Amino acid sequence: MSIITNQDAFVTEEIMQIVTRERQVALSTREWKHRLAGYGYSIRDTDAGEHVLETLPHRVALCVLPNELFA
């Protein structure tokens, strides 16, 4: 299911750099989510098993995160 449309590839890449860097330094998924909240992002798990990065507080979907970040 693709829920993200009209997303600028450059902006998505910039956001993914932040998300990936924060995942590398976080000791747990919980800490990672807390760190992302400091940047104004949250992760929502979908019924389809995807992890969607959203903005806070309006919950605008930005991109689907790769499963490798959750291993």
Side-chain angles (χ1 to χ4, degrees), residues 2-71:
S2 179
I3 59 173
I4 291 79
T5 59
N6 293 330
Q7 184 65 33
D8 184 335
F10 180 76
V11 173
T12 301
E13 180 60 31
E14 292 282 317
I15 293 168
M16 284 305 299
Q17 288 178 7
I18 294 169
V19 169
T20 302
R21 183 181 66 237
E22 291 301 321
R23 181 61 183 126
Q24 291 171 345
V25 297
L27 300 176
S28 67
T29 303
R30 181 179 178 196
E31 179 188 354
W32 179 40
K33 290 179 178 183
H34 180 75
R35 294 174 73 93
L36 290 178
Y39 287 95
Y41 301 117
S42 68
I43 298 173
R44 179 178 50 87
D45 299 326
T46 68
D47 293 337
E50 294 178 324
H51 308 283
V52 178
L53 186 69
E54 299 179 324
T55 63
L56 289 174
H58 303 294
R59 303 188 62 96
V60 175
L62 299 174
C63 63
V64 175
L65 298 174
N67 287 331
E68 298 84 48
L69 292 174
F70 295 86

